[in-house]
Amino acid sequence: MQTNVLLRNVGVADSYQIETYVQQGGYQALAKVLEEGQPSKVKEVVLNSGLRGRGGAGFPTGRKWMFLPKGVYPRYLVCNADEGEPGTFKDRVLMEHDPHGVIEGIIVSSYACEVEHAFIYIRGEYNLGYQRLRNAIDQAYAAGFLGKNIRGSGYDLELSLIQGAGAYICGEETALLSSLEGKRGHPKLKPPFPAAQGLYRKPTIINNVETLFNVPFIVLNGSDWYRQWGTELSPGIKLFSVSGHVERPGVYEVPLSTPIRDLVYDICGGPKDGVPLKAIIPGGSSTRMVRADVAMEARLDYEALCDVGSDLGSGAVIVVNEKTCLVRLVARLAGFYRHESCGKCIPCREGTDWMYKILQRIERGEGRAEDLPLLLDICNNIAGKSFCPLGDAAVQPVRSSIERFGEEYEFHIREKRCMVDG
Ligand SMILES: Cc1cc2nc3c(=O)[nH]c(=O)nc-3n(C[C@H](O)[C@H](O)[C@H](O)COP(=O)(O)O)c2cc1C
C-alpha cells in the first residue's frame, strides 16, 4: 500500500509556489502552533508520535529535542539537506517539489525548540532544489512566515540557505557544522553532542529534511494519527528511493513495516526485464547487503531490517540482479568511500585506500588467495576505530558481501575472471 501524505504536492502544477502551497492547506500547522503559543506542546506531540530521524541513524526526534539544555540561548536548528549517500534521492524530491513543506517543517520545529536562527545545508550539486528553496524562502519572508514577529505572534526566525561544495562527509552532522562555521568539513569529537554544544558552540538541533517535513503533519493530525502506520518502535510513513534493477525506480511513500517484496514487486513493477534478483541493499550504500531471497521476506522498518542483518538507513533501496558482478559493484562503492574519506584519521584514510586497491586487483583477475582474509582484517581495523562513522559505513558493503556472497570473490580469485560476465 502506498500513502500520499509527504508526496501529496508532487505532480501538482506550480507546487513550489507559495500560493499553491497555501491553497493545498500549507502553513496551517504554523498557524496552529503560533495560536497555541506553547513550544513544549509541539515537542510533546513529536515525542509521542515516535518519529525517528530519517537521515540514517533513526534516532527518535522528540528525544533529541529534549536534550537541548534549559535556558541556554541562542540555539540553532540545522536542516541536513546534504543527501550524499549513494542510492539516496528522497530529500531532493521534497525540496524540488515542495520547498514550502520543508520550510514549514523547519519553522514549526524551530518554534518547538525555541530557535531564532535556522539553516538549511544543501548538497552543492542540487541546483534546482537550491533555486526552489531560495525562491520559497524569499516568498515566506514576504508573506511574514519568516523574519521578525511572524504573523504578529512575537516569534522571530531567520532562515539561511547554505550550499555545500560536494563533500559526502559534510552530511555527517559535526562535519556539517564545521563547514557551516566556514572551516574545513572535518568531523568533531562527540560528546559534546550538537544538541548540547553545536554550531558556534551553542545548542544545535540537526535533523534531516524528511524528518522535519513530517512535523507539520504530526502537529496538525496528532500522534495517534501518525501511529496508525508502522509498528510500536517504527511508527509512521517513510520515503524510499528505489534504484537499480526494477521496472519502475523512483521515490515512493509507504508505511514503515511494508514488506520489501511489496515495494519491489507491486510498487516498482518487479525485477527489470524479469532477470532474477541477487541482492538488496536496503538503506543506502552504508548498510549491509542482503541476499535477495532473505530480503524478500523482510519488512521495511528499523527492527525488521536489523533482524536480517542490515539497517533501514536513509531508506535507499538498491536492487541488484543476477547479471551484476558484486565484486565490481563493491569495488565501485569502495572507490566512493576512498574518495570521500576526509583524511583526518588513519584507519579510514589508509583503510579505504587499501580496500579499494585490493578489490580492484581481484576485479582485474589478479586476486591472491590471502586477499579475502586481508580485506576482512582491514575491515576490522576500520570499523569502530575511525574518528567518525564514515569508516564504519565504508566497511559495510565490503564485509557483508564477502560474508554473504563469498563464492563470487573466490571464483574471481581462483578463475581470474568474473562469475557473471566472464
Ligand atoms: C558520512 C555520513 C554522511 C551523512 N550524510 C547525511 C546526509 O546527507 N543527510 C542526513 O540527513 N544525514 C546524514 N548523515 C547523518 C547525520 O550525521 C545525522 O545523524 C542526521 O542528519 C540527523 O538527522 P535525523 O535525526 O533527522 O536523522 C550522515 C552521517 C554520516 C556518518
Side-chain angles (χ1 to χ4, degrees):
M1 178 188 75
Q2 278 178 267
T3 48
N4 190 29
V5 177
L6 306 174
L7 297 180
R8 76 198 194 296
N9 286 336
V10 175
V12 172
D14 294 333
S15 61
Y16 47 90
Q17 302 290 10
I18 195 163
E19 299 79 20
T20 320
Y21 184 70
V22 170
Q23 260 168 27
Q24 302 286 111
Y27 287 113
Q28 279 178 12
L30 176 61
K32 182 177 174 184
V33 300
L34 292 180
E35 198 177 307
E36 289 176 351
Q38 292 179 59
S40 60
K41 234 182 119 179
V42 185
K43 271 191 186 164
E44 207 177 284
V45 71
V46 171
L47 183 70
N48 293 340
S49 73
L51 173 67
R52 294 171 66 167
R54 304 303 195 219
F59 193 82
T61 307
R63 265 176 55 204
K64 186 187 276 188
W65 292 3
M66 296 291 177
F67 289 147
L68 284 167
K70 286 202 172 57
V72 185
Y73 303 95
R75 28 173 88 168
Y76 301 107
L77 183 139
V78 178
C79 171
N80 189 343
D82 198 54
E83 196 159 62
E85 172 92 354
T88 314
F89 47 92
K90 62 186 179 72
D91 297 338
R92 172 183 185 169
V93 171
L94 296 177
M95 293 187 282
E96 290 181 359
H97 294 270
D98 206 347
H100 283 285
V102 177
I103 293 169
E104 188 175 7
I106 292 171
I107 306 174
V108 172
S109 305
S110 297
Y111 182 76
C113 296
E114 298 170 75
V115 162
E116 295 194 348
H117 197 151
F119 297 81
I120 302 174
Y121 188 92
I122 184 171
R123 179 184 171 134
E125 295 90 336
Y126 277 0
N127 282 324
L128 182 60
Y130 178 84
Q131 283 162 19
R132 293 260 162 100
L133 278 170
R134 183 67 270 153
N135 180 54
I137 291 171
D138 293 345
Q139 290 179 335
Y141 268 104
F145 294 126
L146 282 171
K148 294 259 176 261
N149 192 20
I150 295 176
R151 298 256 143 174
S153 63
Y155 175 58
D156 304 337
L157 179 67
E158 299 300 329
L159 177 57
S160 303
L161 177 63
I162 311 288
Q163 245 177 329
Y168 169 63
I169 188 60
C170 289
E172 192 284 326
E173 56 188 16
T174 61
L176 188 160
L177 294 180
S178 303
S179 172
L180 261 186
E181 288 171 350
K183 301 176 190 143
R184 180 184 284 207
H186 272 179
K188 297 179 194 174
L189 206 58
K190 289 192 277 195
F193 288 92
Q197 210 181 90
L199 189 64
Y200 308 121
R201 300 201 181 166
K202 294 294 176 191
T204 304
I205 291 296
I206 303 168
N207 276 128
N208 170 258
V209 171
E210 185 190 346
T211 312
L212 298 170
F213 198 90
N214 272 279
V215 170
F217 297 101
I218 294 170
V219 162
L220 279 178
N221 300 295
S223 53
D224 287 345
W225 169 84
Y226 198 67
R227 283 185 173 280
Q228 72 179 287
W229 297 291
T231 64
E232 175 67 23
L233 295 175
S234 294
I237 43 186
K238 169 94 192 81
L239 297 181
F240 288 93
S241 54
V242 186
S243 61
H245 301 124
V246 286
E247 288 291 346
R248 291 190 295 275
V251 176
Y252 298 96
E253 176 190 324
V254 293
L256 278 169
S257 206
T258 294
I260 296 191
R261 180 181 290 281
D262 291 3
L263 180 68
V264 170
Y265 282 84
D266 301 343
I267 299 173
C268 296
K272 184 153 177 51
D273 302 326
V275 178
L277 302 181
K278 183 194 285 190
I280 303 282
I281 304 178
S285 65
S286 303
T287 61
R288 290 162 284 178
M289 65 172 72
V290 181
R291 296 190 86 93
D293 54 342
V294 175
M296 287 308 144
E297 301 307 315
R299 287 177 175 269
L300 290 159
D301 67 57
Y302 296 96
E303 291 69 36
L305 285 171
C306 236
D307 291 344
V308 293
S310 193
D311 286 293
L312 188 79
S314 55
V317 178
I318 303 172
V319 181
V320 182
N321 73 16
E322 277 189 351
K323 287 189 179 168
T324 310
C325 170
L326 280 190
V327 178
R328 187 179 306 157
L329 187 153
V330 173
R332 179 90 187 259
L333 288 176
F336 170 81
Y337 288 105
R338 169 185 178 264
H339 183 259
E340 295 299 336
S341 172
C342 79
K344 177 169 174 141
C345 76
I346 295 167
C348 179
R349 185 184 66 226
E350 299 300 318
T352 52
D353 188 47
W354 292 348
M355 287 201 300
Y356 176 63
K357 285 182 176 152
I358 296 167
L359 284 159
Q360 276 209 316
R361 173 162 91 204
I362 300 174
E363 225 271 295
R364 281 198 309 267
E366 294 165 16
R368 305 166 193 165
E370 65 275 18
D371 277 349
L372 291 188
L374 181 59
L375 273 172
L376 289 172
D377 187 49
I378 297 170
C379 286
N380 289 339
N381 281 302
I382 301 176
K385 300 182 178 78
S386 53
F387 188 85
C388 89
L390 191 144
D392 301 309
V395 160
Q396 303 291 22
V398 179
R399 187 146 65 187
S400 63
S401 61
I402 294 176
E403 283 169 2
R404 293 167 187 171
F405 299 90
E407 66 280 6
E408 276 203 39
Y409 286 91
E410 283 156 10
F411 188 95
H412 252 279
I413 293 170
R414 195 177 57 244
E415 304 291 329
K416 307 201 177 307
R417 65 186 171 88
C418 177
M419 201 173 177
V420 177
D421 54 12

